[in-house]
Amino acid sequence: MREPSLGGIVQTEQDRKRPLLRAGNMNCGGCGMSNIFQLLSHAVAGRDVKLVIPACCGAITAHTYPQSAFDVPTILTTFASAASVATGIAAVAGLNNEETRVICMAGDGGTYDIGMATLSAAAERNENILYICYDNEIYGNTGGQRSSSTPAGAVTTSTPLGKRENKKDIMAIMAAHRIPYAATVSIAHAEDALNKMRTALDTNGFRFLHILSPCPTGWKSEPAMGIELVRLAVRSGLFPVYEVFHGDRYVINIEPDFSDEALSMYLSLQRRFRKSGVTETSLRPGIDKYWHGLRMLSGRIVPARRH
Amino acid sequence: MPVELISANHGAGLAATLAGRANRTGRGFCCGVYPITPATDCMEYLCAQEIEKSKVVRVESEHSAMGVCIGASATGARSFTTTSSNGLAYMAENCVTAASLRLPIVLVVANRTMGPPWNIWADHGDSLMLRDLGWIQIYCADNQEVFDTVLFGFRLAENAEVMMPLMVCMDGFTLSHTIAQINVPEQDMVDRFLPITTVPHQLGSTPHALGQIEVAHQVASHRRQHHEAMEKVFHVYTDIQDEFQQIMDRSLPDPVVSYRIEDAESVIISMGTIGATAEQVVDDLREKGQRVGSLRLRMFRPFPMKSIRENLKTARRVAVIDRDISLGFGGVLWGEIKAVGSRNGLIIQNYMMGIGGGMSGRSIFAGF
């Protein structure tokens, strides 16, 4: 397994001097979103950035008025309107020839569910927005209810016996919009993550980053295990790490070892899968099927046929 | 000053266009637009304009139309949108944000019945549903008033002491689709009347957050500030009225338009186009020797209590005409008038007229 690392995230001259998310924020210990903000701080560097955050844990992160834990101009919006508010901001930046990068930071509820129409419309119009979905697979901010991103078998407060339906394939939906850039990001693979964040920040038009974001309270996992859990999800093939350019060029960035050991570890280190009896054996066919499709799309191993 | 023969919808679109151009040396002009009958034509008009330093975003819902306006206004641009009925209901959530973030967005509402069951005709139930959000609400009686109120509305909403969104309401079809003369000022006159937008709390380069969590005393304090700003609207209104008169060489009606009220024993109180009909009815009844007057409320929020009280000094009977109904209570306007107008011996009766676009002509008054 090839696993690029940063060798510890060291501040370089190109990096932003101050973190986007300052100390004293309201995030839980071990929140994946905190890690995402740390990585994003490095990727943003000297760029002018504005944040748009819908109702989600990110809306609490800033802490109370008048202080703000975000070190950039930030607007908190209603659940379903992040992409539309960002559209307005990006439009005015465009009118004034500003290089501002407008970043939406939204959870899976605001992305997969209530915000889907707004998100899809902004993607269709190819607005100049970077939309980041920190996917903790749960409505974390309301105490842990299922979203359409919650994987089958996961127990949430609204699916006490484990969710029955499979996770929605958000990347396929975004790719179908033929946006300039979409990528999945692993916070356990810092160098790959930074490259993607920089690519997304440098690209114009609608960009989408899908980031698996551990939620210790929702996943019933140890706060310190978050990054390791993401690493296991990537290793086992459960969370494929890839890029999609313009909806048709797929590039797989990290090759998993598809080990049952990694999958078993991933499941056993969280208590949310205990009740439903999901095992590595039950998950494997789904993972294999997804990867078969992904390889077809990426043209690797199984080349695309031309008639 | 050229005269255009256009509908109130196009008049509103034209006024927004002139207001947008007036901000070309500022941060620009941005609209989120989504069609809904009977406000659609205004949106179509905007989509056909080429406005310097502007962007019209064709969004997928009214919710997003207001979202775009919020984003644009939060970064300092002049922003405008239009809707009606269920569109306004769908937009309502973001209308709260626009108000609470004190963004000077102007929204034209072509008043229409809420559905289903579907009905597309005039009814004030839609905008009145949003009564308590912290928007200024102005109801117009003719096309010229709609045009002028859009220009005036930007000036009022963007005033530093006011700084809040404003709703220009016009009766669906009765005004929105009726063609009438509108005096249209030249761009340079609009430029003089409407200085560039400055949103003092806009997102610039300094890190600060708009709309993050507040604890109880902060919410209470912000509500109070908003309420106090609402109360300042009346004196700001008068100042802007004078400037409007000087630059445009015509007057803009007061928040309360009184008609033959001086010695009136009976007063008809209404909003929107019914107010224009009421004035004709007053003439009819005066000819019969009855001491009748009319009060047309142009401004509904903030509510012009003082002015209403002064105008009801000689009144013994008040007929409040509502083009709406608050189910389980009665007319919305009636409730408000009762709250401010009640005194010993004053009878305040409620009448519903034109609900769901029903008849509201002079002959209907005869039945009261």
Side-chain angles (χ1 to χ4, degrees):
Chain A
M1 182 175 179
R2 193 179 68 85
E3 192 180 286
S5 78
L6 210 63
I9 300 171
V10 180
Q11 188 104 10
T12 69
E13 276 182 22
Q14 296 88 19
D15 290 341
R16 198 172 192 278
K17 298 244 173 356
R18 293 177 303 185
L20 291 177
L21 178 59
R22 292 189 284 232
N25 63 73
M26 299 247 278
N27 280 356
C28 305
C31 174
M33 190 228 300
S34 300
N35 295 110
I36 294 166
F37 269 115
Q38 295 316 310
L39 287 165
L40 193 60
S41 297
H42 292 272
V44 160
R47 294 176 182 87
D48 182 30
V49 163
K50 284 185 179 57
L51 272 181
V52 181
I53 301 179
C56 62
C57 292
I60 308 302
T61 304
H63 214 294
T64 53
Y65 174 86
Q67 282 84 23
S68 167
F70 296 123
D71 197 49
V72 283
T74 304
I75 184 165
L76 288 306
T77 74
T78 52
F79 214 1
S81 60
S84 64
V85 171
T87 296
I89 294 172
V92 176
L95 292 177
N96 291 282
N97 302 315
E98 292 163 350
E99 285 298 313
T100 301
R101 305 276 85 185
V102 184
I103 304 175
C104 290
M105 183 68 81
D108 46 299
T111 305
Y112 285 65
D113 294 342
I114 194 170
M116 178 48 89
T118 317
L119 167 65
S120 168
E124 182 257 336
R125 295 191 306 266
N126 198 23
E127 299 292 348
N128 197 13
I129 299 169
L130 165 56
Y131 193 106
I132 299 177
C133 173
Y134 67 94
D135 180 7
N136 55 20
E137 305 186 322
I138 204 165
Y139 286 104
N141 198 31
T142 42
Q145 297 76 31
R146 63 93 85 182
S147 80
S148 59
S149 163
T150 306
V155 166
T156 69
T157 58
S158 57
T159 54
L161 300 176
K163 191 191 169 207
R164 291 187 173 191
E165 303 81 11
N166 281 319
K167 182 178 171 120
K168 193 188 271 183
D169 187 354
I170 192 77
M171 282 297 283
I173 295 169
M174 296 318 294
H177 287 76
R178 300 180 294 275
I179 53 175
Y181 187 67
T184 64
V185 174
S186 155
I187 55 167
H189 299 75
E191 196 177 309
D192 182 68
L194 282 176
N195 284 340
K196 285 171 175 170
M197 286 173 175
R198 285 180 184 130
T199 305
L201 284 161
D202 288 338
T203 307
N204 280 320
F206 199 89
R207 297 90 73 195
F208 183 81
L209 294 180
H210 178 219
I211 311 184
L212 185 63
S213 179
C215 172
T217 41
W219 292 13
K220 314 285 179 229
S221 58
E222 285 300 315
M225 289 307 290
I227 290 178
E228 188 55 32
L229 281 168
V230 173
R231 200 188 310 279
L232 290 167
V234 173
R235 251 184 75 192
S236 62
L238 189 66
F239 184 73
V241 180
Y242 62 101
E243 294 165 296
V244 189
F245 297 87
H246 302 284
D248 57 6
R249 192 162 72 84
Y250 281 68
V251 178
I252 296 170
N253 309 105
I254 298 173
E255 200 52 47
D257 62 11
F258 298 105
S259 73
D260 282 350
E261 181 210 3
L263 197 49
S264 159
M265 289 269 281
Y266 179 78
L267 294 172
S268 62
L269 285 169
Q270 307 172 53
R271 288 208 309 279
R272 62 174 171 158
F273 292 110
R274 284 192 183 169
K275 270 191 193 164
S276 58
V278 169
T279 62
E280 56 275 22
T281 324
S282 67
L283 287 179
R284 187 54 64 196
I287 293 172
D288 288 350
K289 194 174 173 219
Y290 194 86
W291 272 90
H292 182 73
L294 197 57
R295 292 212 196 284
M296 294 263 280
L297 289 164
S298 71
R300 290 178 68 190
I301 302 181
V302 185
R305 285 180 182 226
R306 286 176 198 278
H307 295 285
Chain B
M1 193 182 293
V3 174
E4 299 252 8
L5 196 58
I6 54 175
S7 68
N9 256 336
H10 282 193
L14 176 56
T17 303
L18 291 165
R21 286 199 183 112
N23 206 41
R24 63 194 175 277
T25 53
R27 300 277 298 159
F29 179 63
C30 187
C31 302
V33 297
Y34 192 74
I36 183 169
T37 304
T40 305
D41 298 4
C42 183
M43 178 277 298
E44 286 175 344
Y45 186 94
L46 275 173
C47 289
Q49 301 308 305
E50 281 194 16
I51 308 169
E52 202 180 335
K53 205 172 184 182
S54 79
K55 189 168 180 193
V56 172
V57 189
R58 287 84 170 164
V59 290
E60 85 294 352
S61 74
E62 291 87 354
H63 195 273
S64 288
M66 186 48 65
V68 168
C69 288
I70 289 167
S73 191
T75 41
R78 183 164 285 159
S79 62
F80 174 82
T81 189
T82 170
T83 193
S84 184
S85 183
N86 286 51
L88 187 58
Y90 199 46
M91 186 187 276
E93 188 195 22
N94 280 341
C95 288
V96 181
T97 310
S100 299
L101 297 186
R102 302 286 294 275
L103 300 173
I105 296 160
V106 170
L107 165 69
V108 168
V109 177
N111 286 112
R112 171 188 150 183
T113 319
M114 299 295 297
W118 294 116
N119 168 305
I120 55 170
W121 295 285
D123 192 302
H124 294 156
D126 53 358
S127 51
L128 290 178
M129 184 176 61
L130 272 59
R131 183 185 67 177
D132 306 326
L133 297 186
W135 281 66
I136 297 168
Q137 285 198 2
I138 299 179
Y139 290 77
C140 301
D142 61 42
N143 289 19
Q144 184 72 56
E145 218 180 295
V146 171
F147 177 90
D148 290 349
T149 307
V150 171
L151 290 182
F152 186 85
F154 277 114
R155 181 71 197 273
L156 184 58
E158 292 169 9
N159 181 285
E161 288 188 81
V162 176
M163 201 46 70
M164 69 182 80
L166 183 144
M167 218 176 269
V168 180
C169 303
M170 59 175 168
D171 291 355
F173 293 102
T174 319
L175 286 186
S176 69
H177 284 59
T178 302
I179 288 170
Q181 281 189 1
I182 292 180
N183 287 303
V184 181
E186 304 292 347
Q187 185 66 53
D188 68 308
M189 294 163 80
V190 177
D191 291 352
R192 260 186 294 150
F193 176 68
L194 205 50
I196 59 164
T197 311
T198 42
V199 180
H201 52 299
Q202 67 178 276
L203 296 175
S205 47
T206 314
H208 75 290
L210 286 182
Q212 86 242 52
I213 8 168
E214 289 185 331
V215 292
H217 74 272
Q218 291 167 334
V219 174
S221 141
H222 276 141
R223 293 286 185 275
R224 189 194 167 96
Q225 283 174 8
H226 199 148
H227 183 67
E228 284 170 354
M230 276 280 189
E231 286 172 343
K232 286 179 189 159
V233 164
F234 297 111
H235 86 253
V236 175
Y237 190 104
T238 315
D239 293 347
I240 305 175
Q241 236 177 342
D242 293 343
E243 268 194 67
F244 190 89
Q245 171 79 47
Q246 280 168 19
I247 295 169
M248 306 293 179
D249 200 25
R250 65 167 180 276
S251 61
L252 192 103
D254 291 335
V256 177
V257 182
S258 60
Y259 187 73
R260 300 183 82 167
I261 203 80
E262 300 75 26
D263 61 340
E265 283 184 349
S266 305
V267 177
I268 304 168
I269 302 185
S270 59
M271 294 199 298
T273 52
I274 289 179
T277 312
E279 289 175 6
Q280 297 174 329
V281 171
V282 165
D283 288 343
D284 294 346
L285 295 173
R286 285 263 174 186
E287 270 180 33
K288 291 178 188 168
Q290 296 183 30
R291 282 159 61 188
V292 185
S294 155
L295 285 186
R296 173 168 70 86
L297 297 202
R298 224 170 88 74
M299 188 169 279
F300 181 73
R301 276 293 179 273
F303 199 68
M305 304 183 200
K306 206 174 145 200
S307 179
I308 293 168
R309 279 203 192 105
E310 280 166 7
N311 277 298
L312 291 180
K313 267 181 189 157
T314 60
R316 288 173 52 206
R317 287 183 301 275
V318 174
V320 182
I321 319 260
D322 270 284
R323 192 172 217 155
D324 59 80
I325 177 163
S326 171
L327 298 163
F329 175 72
V332 175
L333 183 57
W334 173 65
E336 307 265 324
I337 298 291
K338 275 211 302 185
V340 299
S342 286
R343 61 174 153 77
N344 282 345
L346 185 67
I347 300 161
I348 302 174
Q349 283 185 312
N350 192 196
Y351 300 90
M352 311 275 173
M353 188 191 275
I355 302 261
M359 293 287 284
S360 60
R362 278 155 95 170
S363 59
I364 307 296
F365 278 84
F368 287 171

